Amino acid sequence: MPLRLYNTLTRRVEPFEPLESGVVKMYACGVTVYDYSHVGHARNYIAWDTLRRYLLWRGYAVKYVQNFTDIDDKIIRRSHQENVPWNVITETYIQAYLDDMDRLNIRRADVYPKATEVVPQIVEFIQSLIDRGYAYESGGDVYYAVEKFPSYGKLSGRRLDQMEAGASGRVDEEAAKKHHPLDFALWKAAKPGEPEWDSPWGKGRPGWHIECSVMVREELGDSIDIHTGGQDLIFPHHENEIAQSEAALAKPLSRFWLHNGFVNISGEKMSKSLGNFTTIRQMLESGFDPMVLRLFVLQAQYRKPIDFTEEAIASAQNAWDTLTEGLRFGYRHGAALGFGQGEPTALNAPPAPPIATASEAVQRFQVAMDDDLNTPVALAVLFELAKELQKEGNRLTHDGKTLADPAALQAQWQTLVALAEVLGLTVSPDAAPAPDGLSDADIEALVQQRAAAKQAKNWAEGDRIRDELKAQGITLIDKPGGVTEWIRGS
């Protein structure tokens, strides 16, 4: 069965076939670099990192481009507020973004073009639109004439006459320059104190939408296979990209358009304007495991909304604990079972386990991912493998032996590691406890025994278990309501 993806442009799930056999050209709209990235950005880029990883695993060569918007009203405003040059603002937050994505195990793009690096190409592109009658200069600004593009609205499903009715009531300085209320700026005349570049229409800077059309063409060509972004970019940003590129080049901009769902906070869309957002940096610096955030995102299919709540994060933490036990199995027990830790299967080659059960797991994983990246079902395959390994690990810890075939366990573990890597879920071998240390399951069992002892008012037994755990480097934290949490390390 081929990979099938939901195409926003056609509003249906379609078999994916790249323009060039075996090669995928993929573009993701990047961040505007004036602040730290939030959990909504994490959802966005985890989704497209997972798609890219899966395409590589399926054997495609992928060129992945993600831009930085490094000139914008918000950047200029931040520059004035902090009284530092605008490019200091952008470089600061570009590095912060890369650091945050690295910690989430999001592989870096092949290229990160910046808007300010392609201003001459943007000027040339805008001039071509003017020459073809799709754009016009007005008072030092240049606007795209939406009425000249007959299929304007095809991505979002909006009709121009309906949109015009909603926009025609606006009266401001910019509206007075336009031929049509929905015409959008390709070039903005410079205001005093703003960054500026030369152009045939006077000094100014690019509009937001034009930069992506130009960077797609510069890095990937006139037409690409996949263009991605959040649902909030469908209109106007991606709609305007299509209008610009297809008017200038007379070719489809992208074969597939993919959009991820929103992150909600207690049912309300997360956004900076509402002030209900949490930055990735805040979460990770508070001790939050980045793999838990990644797993939280993957527990929903990428097009569905997800609700960011304490309960949902706690559930993701429990799920990650289970996966961690399975992923560390070979590092803990491989030597005792007579097999080495081995090397994880290469990302660009599906694993070929020597036993039927592992092969069947790979097949079910692929069927799920081929179904428009159905990561919840794919994760269920991983949890099955992890739980079986966890059970065998407990036998080895308590009884010193296993009833399973060591070769089968090795294949199962290597399959789990390989499939988890496709989803970007990894544990570090050197972070795993020594083979003779307590597993997470062992610790939980002892915590429960201590709770039972305290319930029976057997304080001596409760203290003994606490001291035993402390000797193993496990610190217990008793909280109100009889809840006990634990951490490794004193």
Side-chain angles (χ1 to χ4, degrees):
M1 183 180 296
L3 170 62
R4 293 170 297 126
L5 298 171
Y6 181 84
N7 190 350
T8 305
L9 185 63
T10 61
R11 295 165 186 78
R12 63 175 182 264
V13 176
E14 300 176 351
F16 174 72
E17 293 182 6
L19 296 168
E20 179 184 347
S21 179
V23 178
V24 178
K25 294 184 288 185
M26 179 175 166
Y27 184 90
C29 281
V31 291
T32 301
V33 282
Y34 72 99
D35 204 347
Y36 293 114
S37 299
H38 54 64
V39 176
H41 294 126
R43 204 252 168 118
N44 190 334
Y45 299 113
I46 287 171
W48 311 134
D49 178 64
T50 302
L51 171 59
R52 180 193 187 190
R53 286 170 176 269
Y54 186 63
L55 289 167
L56 289 167
W57 186 78
R58 290 279 258 115
Y60 291 102
V62 180
K63 183 171 183 183
Y64 179 53
V65 177
Q66 181 187 319
N67 76 298
F68 286 121
T69 296
D70 64 339
I71 189 64
D72 176 88
D73 290 340
K74 295 173 183 176
I75 293 169
I76 295 170
R77 193 177 307 122
R78 189 71 179 253
S79 169
H80 291 162
Q81 289 171 348
E82 298 189 9
N83 195 29
V84 297
W86 64 271
N87 56 339
V88 171
I89 296 292
T90 59
E91 289 305 317
T92 297
Y93 290 110
I94 285 174
Q95 189 57 55
Y97 169 86
L98 294 173
D99 291 343
D100 289 345
M101 296 301 112
D102 287 347
R103 293 178 70 183
L104 292 174
N105 200 27
I106 292 172
R107 303 180 74 192
R108 294 203 177 188
D110 296 307
V111 186
Y112 287 105
K114 303 172 187 174
T116 58
E117 294 174 340
V118 292
V119 173
Q121 294 93 320
I122 288 174
V123 169
E124 181 182 354
F125 201 100
I126 292 172
Q127 186 62 56
S128 73
L129 287 169
I130 293 174
D131 294 343
R132 288 171 170 78
Y134 289 98
Y136 57 92
E137 187 270 340
S138 180
D141 297 335
V142 179
Y143 294 96
Y144 186 96
V146 294
E147 289 180 296
K148 300 293 186 179
F149 190 69
S151 58
Y152 189 77
K154 65 181 178 180
L155 181 68
S156 60
R158 304 185 185 198
R159 286 171 41 194
L160 191 57
D161 57 348
Q162 294 173 333
M163 291 187 282
E164 181 180 4
S168 58
R170 293 179 302 190
V171 178
D172 54 30
E173 182 181 349
E174 183 182 33
K177 295 182 179 181
K178 297 180 180 181
H179 296 174
H180 186 281
L182 288 173
D183 290 352
F184 56 90
L186 302 173
W187 185 262
K188 296 183 176 183
K191 296 177 182 177
E194 289 188 348
E196 59 184 34
W197 287 263
D198 291 329
S199 82
W201 322 288
K203 292 184 180 296
R205 58 187 171 87
W208 175 35
H209 312 297
I210 192 66
E211 66 180 71
C212 284
S213 284
V214 171
M215 285 187 275
V216 167
R217 189 187 189 197
E218 288 297 308
E219 299 295 344
L220 297 171
D222 293 351
S223 293
I224 65 173
D225 299 296
I226 299 174
H227 196 309
T228 69
Q231 288 179 357
D232 55 327
L233 296 185
I234 295 174
F235 187 89
H237 186 53
H238 288 169
E239 194 76 72
N240 291 350
E241 276 190 67
I242 288 174
Q244 295 163 161
S245 295
E246 297 186 4
L249 305 173
K251 295 179 182 179
L253 173 54
S254 182
R255 169 112 164 71
F256 278 80
W257 290 82
L258 273 61
H259 296 92
N260 64 278
F262 294 124
V263 175
N264 298 323
I265 300 291
S266 300
E268 186 175 45
K269 177 178 176 283
M270 177 186 289
S271 73
K272 290 187 176 180
S273 61
L274 294 174
N276 65 346
F277 68 96
T278 300
T279 69
I280 299 168
R281 183 152 298 208
Q282 286 172 331
M283 290 189 67
L284 300 186
E285 289 183 351
S286 69
F288 198 85
D289 190 330
M291 289 294 100
V292 172
L293 179 54
R294 187 165 185 124
L295 184 58
F296 164 72
V297 167
L298 294 172
Q299 284 179 319
Q301 201 268 355
Y302 75 94
R303 289 193 290 118
K304 308 297 183 185
I306 54 176
D307 208 10
F308 189 83
T309 64
E310 289 186 9
E311 294 78 12
I313 293 300
S315 175
Q317 178 66 64
N318 291 334
W320 177 240
D321 290 342
T322 298
L323 274 182
T324 298
E325 283 289 295
L327 292 169
R328 287 177 172 168
F329 177 86
Y331 303 126
R332 284 175 169 161
H333 304 293
L337 291 170
F339 64 83
Q341 294 178 357
E343 294 295 329
T345 304
L347 183 60
N348 62 352
I355 60 169
T357 53
S359 296
E360 189 263 342
V362 172
Q363 291 167 8
R364 288 192 291 123
F365 177 87
Q366 182 167 328
V367 167
M369 294 296 285
D370 281 348
D371 182 19
D372 195 27
L373 302 183
N374 195 334
T375 52
V377 175
L379 280 169
V381 177
L382 270 62
F383 286 127
E384 288 178 20
L385 293 170
K387 287 176 180 178
E388 291 175 12
L389 291 168
Q390 185 181 45
K391 181 175 64 177
E392 293 302 323
N394 289 338
R395 281 202 189 110
L396 285 161
T397 299
H398 295 297
D399 303 330
K401 61 183 179 180
T402 177
L403 301 178
D405 175 13
L409 290 175
Q410 180 182 17
Q412 209 165 351
W413 173 64
Q414 290 180 333
T415 298
L416 174 62
V417 172
L419 297 183
E421 168 68 18
V422 177
L423 300 181
L425 298 168
T426 60
V427 294
S428 173
D430 55 13
D436 57 352
L438 291 173
S439 70
D440 291 355
D442 296 334
I443 297 167
E444 290 290 350
L446 287 168
V447 168
Q448 292 303 317
Q449 290 175 28
R450 177 172 177 263
K454 290 172 67 178
Q455 183 71 24
K457 298 186 178 181
N458 188 347
W459 311 118
E461 176 64 7
D463 290 344
R464 185 195 66 77
I465 293 172
R466 181 198 61 205
D467 292 342
E468 177 185 338
L469 287 168
K470 187 175 182 180
Q472 295 279 349
I474 310 302
T475 300
L476 299 184
I477 304 171
D478 292 322
K479 295 197 168 185
V483 176
T484 298
E485 297 182 355
W486 57 268
I487 57 173
R488 294 187 187 272
S490 54

